[in-house]
Amino acid sequence: MHNFSLLHDDVMDGDLTRRHRPTVWSLFGTSNAILAGDAILGLAPRILSATGSEHALTAIDWFGKCVVKLCEGQAADISFSERVDVGIDACVAMARAKTGELLGTSCALGGLFAGADRTQITALREFGSEIGLAFQLVDDLLGIWGDPAVTGKPVRSDLVDRKKSLPVTAALGSGTQAGRRLAELFHQEESDAGLLAELVEEAGGRDWAMQTAEQAFARAKQWLEQAGLDKVAGGELLALAALTCRRNK
């Protein structure tokens, strides 16, 4: 499911590279990339069905709901590029739908197949949702200030594409002089991406995103504690959570 979303996302964004390699559409064409993504998505629920578990039907239902939610989040993300009234609450909701739902459902499915009770599954789902939000925040930071040699993306790619990412939205709504200047320049094609990055940072967008990612990480830890997992499993998931907030690619 994740790879399906990446194949289609690269088509929609027109990205030429992914993980330091050419994207599928850039090598094989848009139609083939869409069809490959569709095929992968069709194969995914078969993995759940093939388990023969008594939970398979529930798992496939959760999976389907997650796909719909992910698409809703992606649709919102696309619409933001044409809107001037995007607030930070709407942007966070988009990130929770697009990324938080994917990781939340993944964690819930793990709990379901492991025989967790309803309280534990809820805690695992919330843990994944918070990790998803943190992941998106860090991803947005890397989209502006990441090292292209590490991320595999062009420098300041999100600003070049004029994406209303979380740091940008926070800066635009900051009420600061830098935020107002950013709003004036953001949709002007001749505006330099380096200057836009400076304005986002000056308006507090970078600090806000970093702090919000850490807050999401802290909430994730609390949900993980409530899940009551054994020490090894809990430790591995906590390490995964920490990675989302401190990765560089």
Side-chain angles (χ1 to χ4, degrees):
M1 177 178 168
H2 184 212
N3 283 328
F4 135 76
S5 71
L6 297 182
L7 284 174
H8 284 202
D9 189 57
D10 287 339
V11 169
M12 286 181 272
D13 291 346
D15 288 337
L16 297 175
T17 58
R18 165 79 65 176
R19 299 169 182 163
H20 302 277
R21 299 172 65 184
T23 50
V24 173
W25 78 266
S26 69
L27 284 176
F28 304 106
T30 298
S31 296
N32 283 327
I34 292 172
L35 289 170
D38 291 344
I40 292 172
L41 182 60
L43 289 168
R46 294 182 63 189
I47 296 171
L48 299 174
S49 177
T51 63
S53 167
E54 62 179 315
H55 302 299
L57 189 59
T58 298
I60 292 171
D61 179 57
W62 291 2
F63 180 90
K65 290 176 180 175
C66 182
V67 172
V68 172
K69 200 71 177 177
L70 185 152
C71 290
E72 289 176 356
Q74 180 68 1
D77 192 16
I78 293 171
S79 73
F80 287 175
S81 63
E82 301 171 357
R83 291 171 49 188
V84 295
D85 61 338
V86 180
I88 196 61
D89 289 343
C91 203
V92 169
M94 175 274 294
R96 285 195 178 278
K98 192 173 77 166
T99 310
E101 188 71 21
L102 175 63
L103 296 186
T105 299
S106 297
C107 292
L109 287 173
L112 177 69
F113 280 99
D117 60 34
R118 182 175 298 180
T119 301
Q120 288 177 306
I121 290 174
T122 297
L124 286 168
R125 184 183 291 277
E126 293 298 331
F127 163 78
S129 178
E130 294 297 345
I131 292 305
L133 177 59
F135 183 96
Q136 190 61 57
L137 283 157
V138 174
D139 199 59
D140 286 353
L141 286 165
L142 292 173
I144 300 176
W145 293 284
D147 181 356
V150 177
T151 64
K153 297 180 180 180
V155 63
R156 301 189 181 93
S157 57
D158 282 0
L159 288 177
V160 172
D161 295 336
R162 298 300 192 263
K163 286 190 65 175
K164 290 191 179 71
S165 61
L166 287 157
V168 170
T169 305
L172 288 170
S174 65
T176 62
Q177 183 175 349
R180 289 188 289 272
R181 179 62 174 156
L182 176 67
E184 292 174 4
L185 298 176
F186 194 70
H187 293 293
Q188 297 179 16
E189 291 186 11
E190 67 275 11
S191 297
D192 177 66
L195 173 59
L196 296 178
E198 291 176 7
L199 290 171
V200 172
E201 184 162 12
E202 188 179 339
R206 187 175 189 174
D207 286 343
W208 175 89
M210 293 171 64
Q211 292 168 9
T212 305
E214 287 294 337
Q215 291 166 3
F217 173 59
R219 290 192 298 270
K221 286 177 63 176
Q222 292 175 349
W223 282 114
L224 190 59
E225 291 169 2
Q226 291 185 38
L229 304 185
D230 68 55
K231 196 169 184 179
V232 174
E236 289 178 347
L237 284 175
L238 185 60
L240 177 63
L243 177 64
T244 65
C245 294
R246 299 177 178 93
R247 64 193 177 93
N248 59 4
K249 60 182 178 180

